[in-house]
Amino acid sequence: MSRSVSYPNGAIVAFTVLEVERAEDWDFEYEWLRDDLTERAAAAFPSLLPYDGWRGREDRILMRNACADFGVSIYGGLVAVWIAERDDGAYWDADCRTARSPRAQRWLRQIASRFDHLFGDYDCLGRMSNGEAVYRKRA
């Protein structure tokens, strides 16, 4: 598989695919994927609460807690499931903003391997000079 998919800088990212046989089923399958990811994330990380938002134009936020956004980005059938430190104004404008980032980074490091195990079906092997990435399905 050779494609690139967007995700926020600094995010922990797991890759999977959305296989849709008929174009007219795409919206239904994408909605099912979002619901499935949200349900699994809520079970694994109870501090995440439903949230509907965007980071830029391509990265959809599905859930959020005090320090992180959980979301999904898709390009073609390639899906990036990601979690990243929040970057919104309310997060950075809070009185305790200097203490938030280290706490957020610590929490993200603690959940990284579990996150990858829960959501990752493909490994990114690297990127070519034109920006395309190469992925391998996990065994």
Side-chain angles (χ1 to χ4, degrees), residues 106-139:
R106 180 173 178 232
W107 184 73
L108 289 168
R109 281 191 306 274
Q110 288 175 333
I111 69 160
S113 63
R114 188 164 151 210
F115 182 88
D116 184 59
H117 177 74
L118 285 168
F119 298 108
D121 297 320
Y122 286 80
D123 291 316
C124 182
L125 301 177
R127 295 192 180 281
M128 295 181 262
S129 61
N130 67 355
E132 294 235 353
V134 178
Y135 303 87
R136 178 183 63 210
K137 183 158 178 61
R138 293 180 182 170

Side-chain angles (χ1 to χ4, degrees), residues 27-132:
D27 287 338
F28 172 80
E29 294 293 335
Y30 179 59
E31 185 175 331
W32 179 89
L33 173 70
R34 289 190 332 248
D35 291 345
D36 177 61
L37 293 173
T38 300
E39 184 177 306
R40 290 192 290 152
F45 311 109
S47 65
L48 292 172
L49 300 173
Y51 183 85
D52 187 21
W54 293 87
R55 288 178 74 147
R57 297 183 316 162
E58 298 180 20
D59 306 322
R60 179 128 191 213
I61 304 169
L62 303 176
M63 302 183 85
R64 167 179 277 182
N65 66 16
C67 60
D69 289 333
F70 168 81
V72 63
S73 307
I74 191 164
Y75 178 73
L78 182 61
V79 178
V81 182
W82 51 265
I83 192 161
E85 183 175 5
R86 284 177 53 176
D87 72 347
D88 57 287
Y91 176 72
W92 290 111
D93 292 342
D95 292 337
C96 58
R97 69 177 172 251
T98 56
R100 283 185 179 218
S101 189
R103 231 178 307 152
Q105 291 303 314
R106 180 173 178 232
W107 184 73
L108 289 168
R109 281 191 306 274
Q110 288 175 333
I111 69 160
S113 63
R114 188 164 151 210
F115 182 88
D116 184 59
H117 177 74
L118 285 168
F119 298 108
D121 297 320
Y122 286 80
D123 291 316
C124 182
L125 301 177
R127 295 192 180 281
M128 295 181 262
S129 61
N130 67 355
E132 294 235 353

